[in-house]
Amino acid sequence: MKSRRLRPSLADNAVGYLFLAPWLIGFLGLTLYPMIQSLYYSFTQFDMMSPPEWVGFANYIKMFTADKTYMKSLQVTFTYVLWAVPLKLIFALLIAMLMNQKLRFIGLYRAVYYIPTLLGGSVAIAMLWKRLFSGDGAINTILRALGWANPPAWIANPNYALATLVLLTVWQFGSSMIIFLAGLKQIPDEYYEAASVDGAGPITKFFRITLPSLSPVILFNLVMQMISAFQAFTQAFIISAGKGGPLDSTMFYTLYLYTKGFYYYEMGYASAMAWVLLIIIGILTAIIFKSSNMWVSYGSGD
Amino acid sequence: MMSKNTKTILKKLISHVIIIAFGLIMLYPVLWLIASSLKPGSAIFSDPSLIPSSISFEHYVTGWQGVGRIHFSTFILNSLVICFSVVVANVISCSMAAYAFARLKFSLKGLWFGIMILSIMLPTHVTTIPRYVMFNTFGWVDTYLPLIAPKLLATDAFFVFLLVQFMRGLPRDLDESATLDGCGKIGIFLRIVVPLSVPSMVTTALFSFLWTWDDFFNQLLYINTPSKYAVSQGLRMFMDASGQSNWGPMFAMSVVSMIPCFILFFTLQKYFVQGIATTGIKG
């Protein structure tokens, strides 16, 4: 027992590092080293045929001054993240509150609501979406029957293609819903009872009790969903047949990165793009965490 | 005035109605996919109805024949090979790392743990290109090795975290009695921690399987020969092979590709909830 305070012995270290070895080798060889390498590539021109050629900041400068498609991909991705993430979280929270009741079949309901998340990332669903939201798709047949004479050809219309992808993302709110549900169950009933005694209505209760109590969970969901939204790829790739169209309206950041790196073999440029993405995500995550002092409450809980 | 009891019943009834109505809207795309795959003919995809006027399995028959002379069963078999290898690799490597973090004492543990957590948040694209270059020099492109080998090195740090959370909750007195019985740290891992951690290992296996089954990016990157394609890319071949007539078979095979997900989901549901709720799996 007293050995707890002592420094780990040689034997402790041997066993510890034995178990850690796979992860440690993986981290050093497949994460850290490639990161350094891609940072180096980002300052080079590199096509995999010939060795990388040092070009300084040229890739970064070109990105922000001479590459319209790049700027477009930034715009598309930010628009996507700004819509998809908040909508998904709001939706997940509302549904979680609806599900947080003692109802018969509630287990079945939760399972059914998780199904879109279970399947949503697949190529099959992306292709289904493309078909459903095409000009002559089933959605438009329904809309016409409801009296909308000329609905847009969603997927094929540059004004709506991205919205269709946002919808597809929001549709997969299942994981966030389950995390919110777990959070809701932690809020003691006495809080709500005390508020009722004080005459608080459901809206006051929501803003004064539910939201503050859930704020750490919201923070967590927000950060994780934002990070994964910036990396969205499959859906845009399938729906636009790998081209990011129409008119680059679904040219997600990662799609453009893939195109540059593995279609045109501009590996240096693609590496620079990857690093800018890392920096963007890093800054946004830092901002969210910093701001969390103002809106996240880690209440005493009792 | 309604009694309080009637009011509660009414409130519950309304909740049921809302949940069911909304659930149906949400499930509509999936139900429509299944219904359409059973409708005969090829000009059926503007038809929004969920009940086929007559049921036909022609799309399943054509779809199963595959595209470009490759049988669809090939894609499924390839996917299964990749998925099972990934599952085994992930479970072994991640639980080893998790045991070290949760139960062992060694220098720099705090540092490595922090790095491990940070690596969960790292966008994968920062490593994509150098990894591709590396695997290319190994001669691994167009094999399954780039999809499987990294998993042997616990690169899905996410699962390490999940398992750490679980192993931390295991009672420690078992370790002590095992130590008295002459068990070393390796013995404790194999005889106590592994058997007790089965639930979290099932969660790890489950999500490893599903994410690999649905993965598209890595397959797109590394697999070039159609006969080596997994399901994701196999499905895409229907679309590339253009022509209206391909939608039917593609839908039918889409349904087939979802069957493993449904089976796992409905048999192992509680592991899903556990996995998501304890770690907040992205998705």
Side-chain angles (χ1 to χ4, degrees):
Chain A
M1 277 275 110
K2 64 181 174 188
S3 64
R4 211 165 251 261
R5 292 220 190 99
L6 295 175
R7 291 229 245 113
S9 67
L10 196 63
D12 286 338
N13 272 329
V15 182
Y17 278 95
L18 177 74
F19 277 94
L20 198 65
W23 174 81
L24 192 58
I25 296 169
F27 171 71
L28 296 175
L30 291 172
T31 304
L32 187 64
Y33 175 64
M35 271 180 80
I36 297 166
Q37 216 172 10
S38 76
L39 183 62
Y40 163 67
Y41 288 158
S42 78
F43 295 106
T44 66
Q45 199 170 37
F46 179 40
D47 59 4
M48 275 189 71
M49 306 298 155
S50 41
E53 193 182 314
W54 185 264
V55 292
F57 279 93
N59 289 327
Y60 292 94
I61 292 167
K62 186 181 160 204
M63 232 180 265
F64 289 102
T65 55
D67 188 345
K68 280 198 180 127
T69 314
Y70 175 79
M71 294 311 281
K72 177 75 184 175
S73 80
L74 261 187
Q75 186 215 326
V76 167
T77 309
F78 269 98
T79 314
Y80 167 77
V81 173
L82 283 175
W83 281 101
V85 174
L87 281 178
K88 187 183 196 172
L89 293 188
I90 291 169
F91 215 64
L93 179 57
L94 291 178
I95 302 286
M97 287 168 61
L98 194 62
M99 293 280 179
N100 190 29
Q101 305 183 59
K102 287 188 186 69
L103 291 177
R104 208 188 270 232
F105 307 125
I106 196 76
L108 177 70
Y109 292 155
R110 275 179 213 147
V112 166
Y113 276 62
Y114 188 77
I115 287 177
T117 310
L118 174 74
L119 307 171
S122 65
V123 168
I125 291 290
M127 293 193 304
L128 164 69
W129 219 253
K130 185 173 182 169
R131 191 58 242 174
L132 266 179
F133 286 92
S134 64
D136 60 349
I139 296 290
N140 273 357
T141 311
I142 297 175
L143 291 176
R144 283 195 197 95
L146 292 174
W148 187 351
N150 265 318
W154 310 102
I155 293 288
N157 184 324
N159 295 324
Y160 296 100
L162 187 60
T164 331
L165 283 168
V166 169
L167 186 68
L168 174 53
T169 308
V170 176
W171 186 55
Q172 301 164 50
F173 60 83
S175 295
S176 306
M177 172 190 78
I178 291 177
I179 301 168
F180 280 136
L181 254 173
L184 285 169
K185 291 200 188 304
Q186 305 279 318
I187 307 175
D189 282 339
E190 295 87 73
Y191 287 15
Y192 292 105
E193 283 155 18
S196 297
V197 172
D198 293 345
I203 294 173
T204 318
K205 282 184 200 166
F206 175 76
F207 283 104
R208 291 290 177 80
I209 301 171
T210 314
L211 269 190
S213 311
L214 279 183
S215 54
V217 185
I218 295 174
L219 171 68
F220 176 82
N221 263 331
L222 181 65
V223 170
M224 294 314 278
Q225 292 295 341
M226 179 202 69
I227 293 175
S228 72
F230 268 107
Q231 301 178 66
F233 177 83
T234 305
Q235 319 300 348
F237 185 94
I238 295 295
I239 285 176
S240 72
K243 297 192 178 69
L247 292 176
D248 287 342
S249 62
T250 60
M251 183 55 97
F252 279 12
Y253 199 97
T254 53
L255 185 52
Y256 190 49
L257 192 154
Y258 171 81
T259 311
K260 276 293 186 191
F262 295 94
Y263 195 79
Y264 295 112
Y265 285 96
E266 294 182 30
M267 297 273 187
Y269 196 76
S271 297
M273 281 185 68
W275 269 90
V276 172
L277 180 66
L278 176 68
I279 292 165
I280 291 174
I281 291 179
I283 291 175
L284 289 177
T285 308
I287 291 175
I288 294 174
F289 272 114
K290 267 259 184 280
S291 78
S292 70
N293 298 332
M294 291 184 289
W295 58 272
V296 174
S297 62
Y298 297 96
S300 59
D302 47 297
Chain B
M1 280 299 276
M2 279 189 285
S3 73
K4 199 172 176 214
N5 210 359
T6 337
K7 225 175 150 181
T8 344
I9 292 175
L10 198 69
K11 206 182 144 203
K12 284 199 172 176
L13 198 69
I14 293 172
S15 298
H16 277 288
V17 171
I18 296 175
I19 293 176
I20 292 172
F22 194 70
L24 282 176
I25 296 176
M26 258 191 26
L27 275 194
Y28 175 77
V30 179
L31 297 175
W32 183 79
L33 172 72
I34 298 169
S36 300
S37 73
L38 293 167
K39 291 174 193 167
S42 60
I44 48 174
F45 297 108
S46 307
D47 170 17
S49 78
L50 292 181
I51 301 146
S53 51
S54 65
I55 288 185
S56 146
F57 288 97
E58 61 177 82
H59 297 317
Y60 284 84
V61 175
T62 334
W64 195 247
Q65 301 302 320
V67 219
R69 275 166 292 162
I70 301 163
H71 215 259
F72 201 80
S73 60
T74 310
F75 303 137
I76 293 191
L77 208 68
N78 291 343
S79 269
L80 287 174
V81 168
I82 300 169
C83 287
F84 280 116
S85 318
V86 166
V87 164
V88 172
N90 259 349
V91 168
I92 295 173
S93 67
C94 295
S95 43
M96 280 177 71
Y99 177 61
F101 283 128
R103 293 301 193 102
L104 299 179
K105 210 167 38 160
F106 50 91
S107 320
L108 299 179
K109 180 168 146 178
L111 173 75
W112 294 129
F113 188 72
I115 288 176
M116 189 272 290
I117 296 289
L118 269 182
S119 74
I120 296 175
M121 295 163 74
L122 190 75
T124 52
H125 302 86
V126 202
T127 56
T128 303
I129 288 164
R131 273 193 200 185
Y132 185 87
V133 173
M134 187 192 299
F135 294 145
N136 188 42
T137 50
F138 293 171
W140 284 6
V141 171
D142 210 25
T143 73
Y144 298 146
L145 284 169
L147 311 177
I148 299 166
K151 312 291 177 183
L152 281 168
L153 299 174
T155 44
D156 282 342
F158 193 78
F159 296 122
V160 178
F161 178 59
L162 184 144
L163 290 156
V164 167
Q165 294 290 84
F166 191 89
M167 286 180 190
R168 274 182 178 159
L170 298 176
R172 275 181 179 271
D173 16 340
L174 290 170
D175 295 22
E176 275 154 36
S177 50
T179 313
L180 291 178
D181 288 348
C183 250
K185 299 285 185 203
I186 299 172
I188 292 174
F189 175 68
L190 292 175
R191 293 204 208 145
I192 297 173
V193 174
V194 168
L196 288 176
S197 303
V198 167
S200 58
M201 288 159 89
V202 173
T203 308
T204 302
L206 186 61
F207 280 101
S208 299
F209 186 95
L210 289 172
W211 289 346
T212 312
W213 186 265
D214 279 350
D215 172 50
F216 175 66
F217 186 67
N218 290 302
Q219 291 175 19
L220 178 70
L221 224 51
Y222 289 109
I223 313 297
N224 309 320
T225 311
S227 65
K228 291 180 186 169
Y229 279 178
V231 169
S232 301
Q233 269 181 303
L235 281 175
R236 201 168 69 100
M237 282 178 75
F238 285 104
M239 207 161 70
D240 292 346
S242 72
Q244 277 290 319
S245 57
N246 273 310
W247 283 105
M250 192 194 82
F251 274 24
M253 291 307 104
S254 294
V255 174
V256 170
S257 79
M258 290 171 179
I259 292 173
C261 307
F262 278 116
I263 294 176
L264 288 175
F265 180 57
F266 284 106
T267 50
L268 300 172
Q269 225 191 92
K270 69 170 184 181
Y271 296 101
F272 267 90
V273 177
Q274 260 169 18
I276 298 163
T278 52
T279 56
I281 280 179
K282 63 200 169 194

